Amino acid sequence: MPDSGGSRAQREHIPTSGTGPGADSAPLTPHGDAGALSVDPGAPQVTAPAGLPAAPEAGGLKAARRTGFLVTMVLGGLTALPPLSMDMYLPALPAVTDSLSAPAATIQLTLTACLAGMALGQLVVGPMSDRWGRRRPLLLGMVVYVIATAICALAPSAELLIGFRLLQGLAGAAGIVIARAVVRDLYDGVEMARFFSTLMLISGVAPIIAPLIGGQVMRFTDWRGIFVVLTGVGIVLTLVVWKWLHETLEPGSRHTGGVGEALRTMRGLLADRVFTGYMVTGGLAFAVLFAYISASPFVVQEIYGASPQTFSLLFGLNSIGLIAVGQINGKLLVGRISLDKVLGFGLAVIVLAAVALLLMTTGVFGEVGLVPVAAGLFVLMSAMGVAMPNTNAQALMRTKHAAGSASALLGTSSFLIGAIASPLVGIAGEDTAVPMAVVQVVCAVAAVGCFLGLCRPWQRAGREAGGL
């Protein structure tokens, strides 16, 4: 790699993707355009995106840190948009049911439609970003997202709201898939896993504040005002991306083929047993999470009689648990313990929490109140902090040649499986939480089975953590 003009300290502190002693002293081959790199060995390492000049020696450290911080904030905003779109809307679900005179199962389809749109949209946007770069497809998706969200605020019926939520999800998929692809362009190995945990810290703020904002908006206006706020957020994020997110995929690394090549690339990725294993494991874990997202407004408010504000506080507390565990994963565990071991532990905790919730909701422990159920949900959500970033990192480490397509497959599988789980949690009506717990147990156990059967982590026990 040519000298980018950085200081000697910069060149000597670039970490590798390894995790053993002395790993921080060996060089790392970065992805994307070469540029100044952060010298902090404990922080994610990033190359300067295209369009940013290499830092001169005198100001190299300052410029590198500024570049890394800027990329982190922009990508964090993109990954925060989906939870904002979903979670601000959650406290309003019962109100939407009354306003549009539709059953709860129908209104839950507004969540399913958005989720399915995000899943299908990634299959289109991912290969597009491998062919035309990350920036143009992202900006197009953001503009359509803003328009669709504004239309949702005007929907006069449940059917039209479902349709516009589908379009909102299709457009919003651009932010999800391209953010992951940009991470793969710029990071490698253990540093990629650490960066995913850092993104979780930023994007994790969204689930905390989104229901709180939604609940407060409901105090001054109706559910339509939530979509007005989301429209404003989309406009701001679109402007931020346009001004500050530079292209990260070099022209020489782009695919020049059409649909046929994209399909062949995806088929090749799916033929990789280990990649597919991590993909499906992550999708099933996401289904556990989305079963909670879809059912918790009714479980907490309708069954246990909590107010929208109380629900928002509990939802925020659970999100804090997810963020905290995610940071423990990125700062303390990654680089010291095998990613597979951490992932396996997280999946085991998810299974135990889901089984506990099933036992409580079926009355095995007698009639339980909101506090024990909320505690079980807190443990389940917190364990997602190690399951979600590590499945993504392990899968993307195998796909340097097609990060956009791989990111699309990861996102699509997660959102499709989640979309299937969503209506199942309301199949028995609004008066029982048993379907939610059943879906969570089934998906959690299936995730463990997929992890063991396809990923076969014991076959890589002798390799460095996070390696292939």
Side-chain angles (χ1 to χ4, degrees), residues 189-220:
V190 166
E191 295 308 315
M192 182 164 55
R194 286 178 176 156
F195 189 77
F196 275 124
S197 293
T198 301
L199 280 188
M200 183 169 291
L201 173 63
I202 301 171
S203 62
V205 173
I208 296 175
I209 66 173
L212 296 173
I213 295 174
Q216 294 305 312
V217 170
M218 291 287 290
R219 298 181 65 178
F220 300 100

Coordinates of all heavy atoms in Angstrom, one line a residue, residues 189-220:
G189 N -11.9 -8.1 9.4 CA -11.7 -8.9 10.6 C -12.4 -8.5 11.9 O -13.5 -8.1 11.9
V190 N -11.6 -8.5 12.9 CA -12.1 -8.2 14.3 C -12.6 -6.7 14.3 O -13.6 -6.4 15.0 CB -11.1 -8.5 15.3 CG1 -11.4 -7.8 16.7 CG2 -10.9 -10.0 15.5
E191 N -11.9 -5.8 13.6 CA -12.2 -4.4 13.5 C -13.6 -4.2 13.0 O -14.4 -3.3 13.4 CB -11.2 -3.6 12.7 CG -9.9 -3.6 13.4 CD -9.9 -3.2 14.8 OE1 -10.6 -2.2 15.1 OE2 -9.2 -3.8 15.7
M192 N -14.0 -5.1 12.0 CA -15.4 -5.0 11.5 C -16.4 -5.4 12.6 O -17.4 -4.7 12.7 CB -15.6 -5.9 10.3 CG -16.9 -5.9 9.7 SD -17.0 -6.6 8.0 CE -16.3 -8.2 8.3
A193 N -16.1 -6.4 13.4 CA -17.0 -6.8 14.4 C -17.1 -5.7 15.5 O -18.2 -5.4 16.0 CB -16.5 -8.1 15.1
R194 N -16.0 -5.0 15.8 CA -16.0 -3.9 16.7 C -16.8 -2.8 16.2 O -17.6 -2.1 16.9 CB -14.6 -3.5 17.0 CG -13.8 -4.4 17.9 CD -12.4 -4.0 18.2 NE -11.7 -4.9 19.1 CZ -10.4 -5.0 19.2 NH1 -9.6 -4.4 18.3 NH2 -9.9 -5.8 20.1
F195 N -16.7 -2.5 14.9 CA -17.4 -1.4 14.3 C -18.9 -1.6 14.3 O -19.7 -0.7 14.5 CB -17.0 -1.1 12.9 CG -17.5 0.2 12.4 CD1 -17.0 1.4 12.8 CD2 -18.6 0.2 11.5 CE1 -17.5 2.6 12.3 CE2 -19.1 1.4 11.0 CZ -18.6 2.6 11.4
F196 N -19.3 -2.9 14.1 CA -20.7 -3.2 14.2 C -21.3 -2.9 15.6 O -22.4 -2.5 15.8 CB -21.0 -4.7 13.7 CG -21.2 -4.9 12.3 CD1 -20.4 -5.8 11.6 CD2 -22.1 -4.1 11.6 CE1 -20.5 -5.9 10.2 CE2 -22.2 -4.3 10.2 CZ -21.4 -5.2 9.5
S197 N -20.5 -3.2 16.6 CA -20.9 -2.9 17.9 C -21.0 -1.4 18.2 O -21.8 -1.0 18.9 CB -19.9 -3.6 18.9 OG -20.0 -5.0 18.9
T198 N -20.0 -0.7 17.6 CA -20.1 0.8 17.7 C -21.4 1.3 17.0 O -22.0 2.2 17.6 CB -18.9 1.4 17.0 OG1 -17.7 0.9 17.7 CG2 -18.9 2.9 17.2
L199 N -21.7 0.8 15.9 CA -22.9 1.2 15.2 C -24.1 0.9 16.1 O -25.1 1.6 16.1 CB -23.1 0.5 13.8 CG -22.3 1.0 12.7 CD1 -22.7 0.3 11.4 CD2 -22.5 2.5 12.5
M200 N -24.1 -0.3 16.8 CA -25.2 -0.6 17.7 C -25.4 0.4 18.8 O -26.5 0.7 19.2 CB -25.0 -2.0 18.3 CG -26.1 -2.5 19.1 SD -26.0 -4.2 19.6 CE -26.2 -5.0 18.0
L201 N -24.3 1.0 19.2 CA -24.4 2.1 20.2 C -25.1 3.3 19.7 O -26.0 3.8 20.3 CB -23.0 2.5 20.7 CG -22.9 3.7 21.6 CD1 -23.6 3.4 22.9 CD2 -21.5 4.1 21.9
I202 N -24.8 3.6 18.4 CA -25.4 4.8 17.8 C -26.9 4.5 17.4 O -27.8 5.2 17.8 CB -24.6 5.3 16.6 CG1 -23.2 5.6 17.0 CG2 -25.3 6.5 15.9 CD1 -22.3 5.9 15.9
S203 N -27.0 3.4 16.6 CA -28.4 3.1 16.2 C -29.3 2.6 17.3 O -30.5 2.7 17.2 CB -28.3 2.0 15.1 OG -27.8 0.8 15.6
G204 N -28.6 2.1 18.4 CA -29.4 1.7 19.5 C -30.1 2.8 20.3 O -31.0 2.6 21.1
V205 N -29.6 4.0 20.1 CA -30.3 5.2 20.7 C -31.7 5.3 20.1 O -32.6 5.7 20.8 CB -29.4 6.5 20.5 CG1 -30.2 7.7 21.0 CG2 -28.1 6.3 21.3
A206 N -31.8 5.0 18.9 CA -33.1 5.1 18.2 C -34.2 4.3 18.9 O -35.3 4.9 19.1 CB -33.0 4.7 16.7
P207 N -34.0 3.0 19.2 CA -35.1 2.3 19.9 C -35.4 2.9 21.3 O -36.5 2.7 21.8 CB -34.6 0.9 20.0 CG -33.6 0.8 18.9 CD -32.9 2.1 18.8
I208 N -34.4 3.6 21.9 CA -34.7 4.1 23.2 C -35.6 5.4 23.1 O -36.6 5.5 23.8 CB -33.4 4.5 23.9 CG1 -32.6 3.2 24.2 CG2 -33.6 5.2 25.2 CD1 -31.2 3.5 24.7
I209 N -35.2 6.3 22.2 CA -35.9 7.5 22.1 C -37.2 7.5 21.2 O -38.1 8.3 21.3 CB -35.0 8.6 21.6 CG1 -34.5 8.4 20.1 CG2 -33.8 8.8 22.5 CD1 -33.7 9.5 19.5
A210 N -37.2 6.5 20.2 CA -38.3 6.4 19.3 C -39.7 6.2 20.0 O -40.6 7.0 19.7 CB -38.0 5.4 18.2
P211 N -39.8 5.2 20.8 CA -41.1 5.1 21.5 C -41.4 6.3 22.4 O -42.6 6.7 22.5 CB -41.0 3.8 22.3 CG -39.9 3.0 21.7 CD -38.9 4.1 21.2
L212 N -40.4 6.8 23.0 CA -40.6 8.0 23.9 C -41.1 9.2 23.1 O -42.1 9.8 23.4 CB -39.3 8.4 24.6 CG -38.7 7.3 25.6 CD1 -37.4 7.8 26.1 CD2 -39.7 7.2 26.8
I213 N -40.5 9.4 21.9 CA -41.0 10.4 21.0 C -42.4 10.2 20.5 O -43.2 11.0 20.5 CB -40.0 10.6 19.8 CG1 -38.6 11.1 20.3 CG2 -40.6 11.6 18.8 CD1 -37.6 11.1 19.2
G214 N -42.6 8.9 20.1 CA -43.9 8.5 19.7 C -45.0 8.7 20.7 O -46.1 9.2 20.5
G215 N -44.7 8.3 22.0 CA -45.6 8.5 23.0 C -45.9 10.0 23.3 O -47.0 10.4 23.6
Q216 N -44.8 10.8 23.2 CA -45.0 12.3 23.5 C -45.8 12.9 22.3 O -46.6 13.8 22.5 CB -43.7 13.0 23.6 CG -42.9 12.5 24.9 CD -43.8 12.7 26.2 OE1 -44.4 13.8 26.4 NE2 -43.8 11.7 27.0
V217 N -45.5 12.5 21.1 CA -46.3 13.0 19.9 C -47.7 12.7 20.1 O -48.6 13.5 19.8 CB -45.7 12.4 18.6 CG1 -46.6 12.8 17.4 CG2 -44.3 13.0 18.3
M218 N -48.0 11.5 20.6 CA -49.4 11.1 20.8 C -50.2 12.0 21.8 O -51.4 12.0 21.9 CB -49.5 9.6 21.2 CG -49.1 8.6 20.1 SD -50.3 8.5 18.8 CE -51.6 7.7 19.7
R219 N -49.4 12.7 22.7 CA -50.0 13.5 23.7 C -50.5 14.8 23.0 O -51.4 15.5 23.6 CB -49.1 13.8 24.8 CG -48.6 12.6 25.6 CD -47.7 13.0 26.7 NE -48.3 13.8 27.7 CZ -47.7 14.2 28.8 NH1 -46.5 13.8 29.1 NH2 -48.4 14.9 29.7
F220 N -50.0 15.2 21.9 CA -50.3 16.5 21.3 C -51.0 16.3 19.9 O -51.7 17.3 19.5 CB -49.0 17.3 21.0 CG -48.2 17.6 22.3 CD1 -47.1 16.8 22.6 CD2 -48.7 18.6 23.1 CE1 -46.4 17.1 23.8 CE2 -48.0 18.9 24.3 CZ -46.9 18.1 24.6

